[in-house]
Amino acid sequence: MSEHEIAQPTMRQLIDDGAAAALLDDHFPVPARYREIWWHVPSEADPDAPFRPAVEKVASEFEVMHRRRRAADLAADLRGR
């Protein structure tokens, strides 16, 4: 592995330990933010391929999805009160 790759078992451990944040819970592999970078297994890659840093456009899309999910989670929490 290079410094620009993270093996799937390593990313799973980073997520489980809380060092990385998965875009979606209970899905794997799923985009994850680790050290302020969005990592993913590119769709054209082998399913067992390592995670790679997302290019800027893709990282922006992951960030938008992440913000929407946080807003939805917050709204659900507020409705549950």
mmCIF file of all heavy atoms in Angstrom, residues 69-80:
data_model
loop_
_atom_site.group_PDB
_atom_site.id
_atom_site.type_symbol
_atom_site.label_atom_id
_atom_site.label_comp_id
_atom_site.label_asym_id
_atom_site.label_seq_id
_atom_site.Cartn_x
_atom_site.Cartn_y
_atom_site.Cartn_z
ATOM 1 N N ARG A 69 -27.162 14.518 5.517
ATOM 2 C CA ARG A 69 -27.441 13.454 6.473
ATOM 3 C C ARG A 69 -27.444 14.008 7.890
ATOM 4 O O ARG A 69 -28.312 13.681 8.698
ATOM 5 C CB ARG A 69 -26.413 12.336 6.360
ATOM 6 C CG ARG A 69 -26.685 11.289 7.411
ATOM 7 C CD ARG A 69 -25.902 10.053 7.267
ATOM 8 N NE ARG A 69 -26.275 9.223 8.393
ATOM 9 C CZ ARG A 69 -25.396 8.667 9.201
ATOM 10 N NH1 ARG A 69 -24.130 8.803 8.988
ATOM 11 N NH2 ARG A 69 -25.797 7.941 10.213
ATOM 12 N N ARG A 70 -26.482 14.856 8.218
ATOM 13 C CA ARG A 70 -26.444 15.448 9.561
ATOM 14 C C ARG A 70 -27.690 16.281 9.817
ATOM 15 O O ARG A 70 -28.265 16.225 10.910
ATOM 16 C CB ARG A 70 -25.187 16.288 9.737
ATOM 17 C CG ARG A 70 -23.946 15.419 9.862
ATOM 18 C CD ARG A 70 -22.697 16.212 10.117
ATOM 19 N NE ARG A 70 -22.842 16.998 11.337
ATOM 20 C CZ ARG A 70 -22.079 18.043 11.631
ATOM 21 N NH1 ARG A 70 -21.144 18.428 10.802
ATOM 22 N NH2 ARG A 70 -22.255 18.714 12.752
ATOM 23 N N ALA A 71 -28.138 17.033 8.818
ATOM 24 C CA ALA A 71 -29.354 17.840 8.977
ATOM 25 C C ALA A 71 -30.568 16.942 9.182
ATOM 26 O O ALA A 71 -31.427 17.226 10.031
ATOM 27 C CB ALA A 71 -29.547 18.751 7.765
ATOM 28 N N ALA A 72 -30.646 15.856 8.425
ATOM 29 C CA ALA A 72 -31.775 14.926 8.573
ATOM 30 C C ALA A 72 -31.742 14.255 9.940
ATOM 31 O O ALA A 72 -32.782 14.104 10.593
ATOM 32 C CB ALA A 72 -31.733 13.876 7.466
ATOM 33 N N ASP A 73 -30.554 13.873 10.394
ATOM 34 C CA ASP A 73 -30.429 13.256 11.725
ATOM 35 C C ASP A 73 -30.859 14.228 12.813
ATOM 36 O O ASP A 73 -31.564 13.862 13.757
ATOM 37 C CB ASP A 73 -28.999 12.794 11.983
ATOM 38 C CG ASP A 73 -28.603 11.574 11.183
ATOM 39 O OD1 ASP A 73 -29.485 10.920 10.581
ATOM 40 O OD2 ASP A 73 -27.377 11.282 11.133
ATOM 41 N N LEU A 74 -30.451 15.490 12.687
ATOM 42 C CA LEU A 74 -30.825 16.504 13.661
ATOM 43 C C LEU A 74 -32.336 16.722 13.675
ATOM 44 O O LEU A 74 -32.965 16.780 14.737
ATOM 45 C CB LEU A 74 -30.106 17.817 13.371
ATOM 46 C CG LEU A 74 -30.415 18.971 14.312
ATOM 47 C CD1 LEU A 74 -30.057 18.622 15.757
ATOM 48 C CD2 LEU A 74 -29.676 20.228 13.856
ATOM 49 N N ALA A 75 -32.935 16.800 12.484
ATOM 50 C CA ALA A 75 -34.391 16.978 12.396
ATOM 51 C C ALA A 75 -35.120 15.801 13.028
ATOM 52 O O ALA A 75 -36.101 15.982 13.749
ATOM 53 C CB ALA A 75 -34.818 17.149 10.947
ATOM 54 N N ALA A 76 -34.630 14.598 12.785
ATOM 55 C CA ALA A 76 -35.261 13.415 13.372
ATOM 56 C C ALA A 76 -35.139 13.440 14.888
ATOM 57 O O ALA A 76 -36.090 13.106 15.599
ATOM 58 C CB ALA A 76 -34.625 12.150 12.804
ATOM 59 N N ASP A 77 -33.978 13.863 15.385
ATOM 60 C CA ASP A 77 -33.791 13.961 16.840
ATOM 61 C C ASP A 77 -34.755 14.972 17.444
ATOM 62 O O ASP A 77 -35.334 14.748 18.491
ATOM 63 C CB ASP A 77 -32.357 14.349 17.170
ATOM 64 C CG ASP A 77 -31.374 13.226 16.942
ATOM 65 O OD1 ASP A 77 -31.799 12.057 16.768
ATOM 66 O OD2 ASP A 77 -30.155 13.511 16.939
ATOM 67 N N LEU A 78 -34.910 16.104 16.777
ATOM 68 C CA LEU A 78 -35.801 17.159 17.288
ATOM 69 C C LEU A 78 -37.263 16.698 17.276
ATOM 70 O O LEU A 78 -38.017 17.026 18.186
ATOM 71 C CB LEU A 78 -35.633 18.439 16.487
ATOM 72 C CG LEU A 78 -34.298 19.151 16.658
ATOM 73 C CD1 LEU A 78 -34.191 20.330 15.698
ATOM 74 C CD2 LEU A 78 -34.104 19.600 18.097
ATOM 75 N N ARG A 79 -37.651 15.940 16.252
ATOM 76 C CA ARG A 79 -39.027 15.415 16.202
ATOM 77 C C ARG A 79 -39.268 14.386 17.293
ATOM 78 O O ARG A 79 -40.379 14.238 17.770
ATOM 79 C CB ARG A 79 -39.323 14.797 14.831
ATOM 80 C CG ARG A 79 -39.632 15.786 13.755
ATOM 81 C CD ARG A 79 -40.180 15.122 12.521
ATOM 82 N NE ARG A 79 -39.271 14.125 11.986
ATOM 83 C CZ ARG A 79 -38.363 14.351 11.028
ATOM 84 N NH1 ARG A 79 -38.227 15.550 10.535
ATOM 85 N NH2 ARG A 79 -37.597 13.386 10.589
ATOM 86 N N GLY A 80 -38.218 13.688 17.666
ATOM 87 C CA GLY A 80 -38.344 12.642 18.683
ATOM 88 C C GLY A 80 -38.430 13.168 20.100
ATOM 89 O O GLY A 80 -38.730 12.433 21.012
#
